[in-house]
């Protein structure tokens, strides 16, 4: 793939941004309603309880954990009713965007809106924010009582950012790597990174006007046996890219893997590592928070079993002191949930979080060891990325993916090597079965190999791709580890 | 893909704007391990891309996946378009979370059978069972017309066996 290696991690200048903005706003008819000054005025008029950054800062200061569902349907009235039905059970609201809009296929999104109207039920898997435009999005935000975030999976989300931030959304999920590698097929990585520099710069421009918009890189990536160091490197890179464009409020994410010690270690190390890289790069004026995603892989069909998966995530997140939890529903196995199922997931999570919140911090030798391993892995890869980019992480990131130095398991993107293969160890922690071209330290590779060998021995079989597939299917079949049938 | 000429050729992919890659990779690996030649188009495949690949590769079957809920929109007219392109007796399977919301599976199955899909699968289906059915279905399409079988009864029974898995 030909990459635009002109990409650098430098702040977009005003002239360049303004010229680009004209093209962005002309890319679909609703772009013509975007007016930055009006957007700033609208954001200024929002009460603090409608601001994501205030909710996060308050949670960070008091140690509370915020709960957030996922939700989005095709039509404004239905979507408003859905969010207001969820609001009593959560702290911050989502607006999950449909898959056509994520690929800038606004014509198909419009067709989905029309067919949904005719059918009397949503045929889209999310809210087509671009098609509804500033007017529609404003109407939505005006009918809510809690902060609302755009959640999607869009490699080029520039127009959506312009429309939603102008309408009063106060948080924007995504990033140039995390919304390409797991969400696209043929988008060159340099292009999506560049498009997300635009989104970050737009947030930076709001910040220049005294308006704080939260930015959240997407942590879980493919949600399937992703080793913590892989998602941590992406989170750190996207945090650095955002800070460079003037973003000040960053939430970094991690998706539950299933082994409690590894998950607690992952979230604790994420915070420490991110602060280390942000401060080393010279950024000091930022608020860093974390988000823990309950299990992103396949769920059991049975709703009671699904609730157990949700509760394991809730417990781990609270032990790891995540600022926010993204909550799953007992309908996860069958796709888009009903409002009632979404409420059930939130209530189960709240109960578990409440029961864990007063308990003491857990320290175990396993957690300590996992933190050491993750730190060694992240440092090794970050070193290589900085080397490849000759100090520039944007260029380094593009080259790292090209060479398989960074590699996300099970990702659809052509820009991803797909050689790194994970598998669970005998305790369910995610280990690296085949490291591909990822430059892990030798002792770390040995550690992974020994852990996998222990499991292979316990199961009386060789580690293989079959074992990996068994692991991918395990949780939906009611176990953490994909053991052979006895 | 094996070096040997395989007895079965299928086109596999995830339809529409769906980028869920995990199941696709697992299905491909399973089919290949059962000696089936797979042209895996990966994620975000249009109807036309599926059909063009099937025509070009002279495939026995097209296996369509959809997990994101837009399957009902994306799959409309698939069988008709196959016939227009001369694929008159190709086996068409679809599987995944095919509609928005928790709808009774038998209703979903009916919707997609009306669209012309030969079989409709849940995400929880055992892939080994799918392989068995696929081979059976391809064989029965290859039989001369005079050997016609009672496909309705045959299929119904096998489907019930799958359901609990």
């Amino acid at each position: 793939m030909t990459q635009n290696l002109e990409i650098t991690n430098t702040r977009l200048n005003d002239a360049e941004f303004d010229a680009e903005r004209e093209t962005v706003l002309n890319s679909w008819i609703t772009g013509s309603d975007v007016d930055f000054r009006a957007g700033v005025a609208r954001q200024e008029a929002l009460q603090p309880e409608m601001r994501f950054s205030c909710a996060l800062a308050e949670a960070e200061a008091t140690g509370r954990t915020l709960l957030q569902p996922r939700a989005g349907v095709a039509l404004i009235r239905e979507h408003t009713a859905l969010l207001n039905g969820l609001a009593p059970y959560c702290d911050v609201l989502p607006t999950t965007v449909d898959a056509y809009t994520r690929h800038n296929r606004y014509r198909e999104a419009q067709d989905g809106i029309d067919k949904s109207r005719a059918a009397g039920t949503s045929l889209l898997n999310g809210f087509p924010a671009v098609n509804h435009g500033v007017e529609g999005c404003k109407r939505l935000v005006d009918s809510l009582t809690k902060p609302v975030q755009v959640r999607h999976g869009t490699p080029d989300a520039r127009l959506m950012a312009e429309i939603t931030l102008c309408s009063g959304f106060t948080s924007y999920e995504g990033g140039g790597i995390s919304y390409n590698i797991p969400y696209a097929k043929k988008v060159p990585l340099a292009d999506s990174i560049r498009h997300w520099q635009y989104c970050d710069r737009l947030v930076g421009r709001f910040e220049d006007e005294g308006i704080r918009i939260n930015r959240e890189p997407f942590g879980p990536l493919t949600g399937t046996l992703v080793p913590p160091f892989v998602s941590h490197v992406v989170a750190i890179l996207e945090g650095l890219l955002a800070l460079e464009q003037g973003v000040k409020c960053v939430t970094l994410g991690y998706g539950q893997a299933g082994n409690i010690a590894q998950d607690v270690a992952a979230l604790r190390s994420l915070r420490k590592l991110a602060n280390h890289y942000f401060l080393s790069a010279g950024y000091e004026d930022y608020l860093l928070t974390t988000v823990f995603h309950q299990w992103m892989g396949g769920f059991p069909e049975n709703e009671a079993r699904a609730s157990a998966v949700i509760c394991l995530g809730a417990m781990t997140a609270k032990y790891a002191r995540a600022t926010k939890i993204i909550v799953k529903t007992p309908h996860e196995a069958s796709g888009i949930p009903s409002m009632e199922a979404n409420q059930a997931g939130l209530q189960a999570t709240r109960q578990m979080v409440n029961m864990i919140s007063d308990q003491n911090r857990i320290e175990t030798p396993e957690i300590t060891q996992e933190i050491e391993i993750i730190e060694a892995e992240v440092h090794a890869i970050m070193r290589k990325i900085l080397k490849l980019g000759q100090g520039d992480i944007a260029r380094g990131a593009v080259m790292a993916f090209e060479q398989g130095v960074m590699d996300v398991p099970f990702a659809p993107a052509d820009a991803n090597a797909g050689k790194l293969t994970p598998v669970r160890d005998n305790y369910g922690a995610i280990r690296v079965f085949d490291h591909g071209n990822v430059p892990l330290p030798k002792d770390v590779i040995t550690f992974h190999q020994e852990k996998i060998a222990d499991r292979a021995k316990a199961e009386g079989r060789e580690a293989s791709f079959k074992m990996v597939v068994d692991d991918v299917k395990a949780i939906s079949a009611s176990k953490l580890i994909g053991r052979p049938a006895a | 893909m094996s070096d040997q000429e395989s007895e079965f050729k299928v086109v596999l992919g995830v339809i529409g704007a769906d980028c869920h890659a995990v199941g696709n990779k697992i299905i491909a690996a399973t089919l290949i391990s059962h000696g089936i030649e797979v042209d895996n188009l990966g994620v975000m495949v249009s109807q036309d891309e599926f059909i063009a690949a099937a025509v070009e590769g002279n495939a026995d079957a097209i296996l369509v996946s959809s997990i994101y809920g837009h399957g009902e929109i994306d799959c409309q007219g698939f069988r008709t378009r196959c016939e227009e392109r001369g694929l008159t007796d190709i086996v068409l399977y679809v599987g995944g979370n095919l509609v928005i919301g928790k709808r009774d599976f038998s209703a979903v199955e009916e919707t997609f059978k009306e669209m012309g899909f030969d079989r409709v699968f849940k995400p929880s289906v055992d892939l080994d069972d799918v392989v068995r059915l696929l081979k059976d279905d391809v064989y029965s399409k290859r039989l001369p017309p005079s050997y016609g079988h009672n496909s309705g009864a045959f299929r119904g029974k096998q489907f019930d066996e799958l359901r609990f898995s």
Side-chain angles (χ1 to χ4, degrees), chain A residues 138-159:
Chain A
K138 261 163 67 175
R139 234 191 308 149
L140 168 68
V141 176
D142 281 342
S143 339
L144 305 175
T145 53
K146 289 190 171 166
V148 60
Q149 178 189 42
V150 188
R151 304 189 63 85
H152 45 132
T154 312
D156 178 2
R158 294 173 295 171
L159 179 58

Side-chain angles (χ1 to χ4, degrees), chain A residues 291-322:
Chain A
V291 52
F292 184 95
H293 294 247
Q294 289 174 349
W295 178 243
M296 292 288 286
F299 259 67
E301 268 187 274
N302 177 288
E303 295 185 20
R305 290 180 181 188
S307 295
V309 179
I310 288 168
C311 290
L312 178 64
M315 185 190 74
T316 309
K318 192 60 204 177
Y319 267 129
R321 296 296 184 259

Side-chain angles (χ1 to χ4, degrees), chain A residues 99-100 103 115 122-125 183 185 224 301 303 331 333-336 410-412 465 469 472, chain B residues 16-17 19 21-22 25-26 29 41 43-45 68 70 72-74 76 97 100-102 122 124:
Chain A
Y100 294 136
H103 296 286
K115 283 188 172 138
S122 181
L123 296 177
L124 291 179
N125 63 2
Y183 282 108
K185 191 173 180 179
T224 305
E301 268 187 274
E303 295 185 20
H331 281 184
S334 29
I336 310 293
F410 299 103
F465 189 69
V469 171
V472 172
Chain B
C19 55
V22 181
K25 289 175 197 287
I26 288 176
L41 306 180
V43 301
M44 295 178 69
V45 182
Y68 73 153
H70 291 183
E72 201 171 354
I73 299 180
D74 294 334
Q76 276 171 18
N97 282 328
I100 302 281
K102 198 160 180 167
K122 286 183 177 185
S124 54

Side-chain angles (χ1 to χ4, degrees), chain A residues 197-244:
Chain A
Q197 286 179 318
Y198 180 99
C199 297
D200 284 330
R201 185 64 207 120
L202 179 62
V203 170
R205 282 196 162 197
F206 274 103
E207 192 74 49
D208 295 343
E209 302 289 333
I211 305 293
R212 178 147 296 183
I213 305 287
N214 171 241
R215 279 277 296 112
E216 181 185 326
F218 176 63
L221 303 176
T222 53
T224 305
L225 306 179
V226 178
F229 75 87
V230 173
S231 52
H232 281 20
V233 168
V234 173
I236 292 164
L237 291 172
E238 290 188 354
L240 287 167
L241 288 163
L243 291 169
E244 177 61 25

Side-chain angles (χ1 to χ4, degrees), chain A residues 243-281:
Chain A
L243 291 169
E244 177 61 25
Q245 300 302 327
V247 172
K248 304 276 187 203
C249 180
V250 179
T251 306
L252 297 187
Y254 170 73
Q256 179 187 7
N259 174 279
I260 298 168
Q262 188 176 41
D263 282 336
V264 170
L267 212 63
R268 287 186 188 160
S269 64
L270 177 58
R271 196 179 273 269
K272 187 174 159 201
L273 286 161
N275 277 321
H276 167 79
Y277 283 98
F278 294 175
L279 293 169
S280 307

Side-chain angles (χ1 to χ4, degrees), chain B residues 6-164:
Chain B
S6 168
E7 199 184 347
F8 303 95
K9 277 188 187 174
V10 302
V11 173
L12 174 71
V14 187
I15 197 166
D18 195 339
C19 55
H20 287 90
V22 181
N24 171 263
K25 289 175 197 287
I26 288 176
I27 295 170
T30 308
L31 294 173
I32 291 165
S33 75
H34 283 84
I36 294 169
E37 188 179 329
V38 181
D39 183 3
N40 188 6
L41 306 180
V43 301
M44 295 178 69
V45 182
S46 68
Q47 287 194 9
D48 286 339
E49 287 169 321
F50 273 110
I51 294 167
V55 170
E56 193 186 322
N58 195 21
D60 298 302
I62 299 176
L63 276 50
V64 178
S65 302
S66 175
I67 200 84
Y68 73 153
H70 291 183
E72 201 171 354
I73 299 180
D74 294 334
C75 291
Q76 276 171 18
F78 203 121
R79 174 64 79 182
T80 316
R81 208 159 299 174
C82 285
E83 284 164 357
E84 283 166 6
R85 298 281 299 275
L87 296 176
T88 47
D89 58 359
I90 192 151
V91 173
L92 279 187
Y93 282 8
V94 65
N97 282 328
L98 298 169
V99 298
I100 302 281
K102 198 160 180 167
R103 207 185 295 174
D104 187 40
F105 183 71
S106 59
V108 175
E109 191 183 347
E110 198 184 318
T111 303
F112 282 82
K113 286 202 165 173
E114 274 170 17
M115 283 186 215
F117 287 91
D118 295 299
R119 293 185 192 277
V120 186
F121 299 103
K122 286 183 177 185
S124 54
V125 69
D126 186 331
L127 293 175
D128 291 344
D129 293 334
V130 176
V131 168
R132 252 194 313 279
L133 290 169
L134 178 66
K135 290 183 174 177
D136 284 348
D137 286 349
V138 170
Y139 271 132
S140 51
K141 293 259 184 188
R142 284 177 188 165
L143 292 176
S146 58
Y147 278 72
H149 58 274
N150 183 355
S151 63
F154 174 73
R155 287 176 189 182
K157 179 176 169 290
Q158 297 236 343
F159 215 84
D160 285 340
E161 285 169 3
L162 274 183
R163 199 91 39 92
F164 67 90

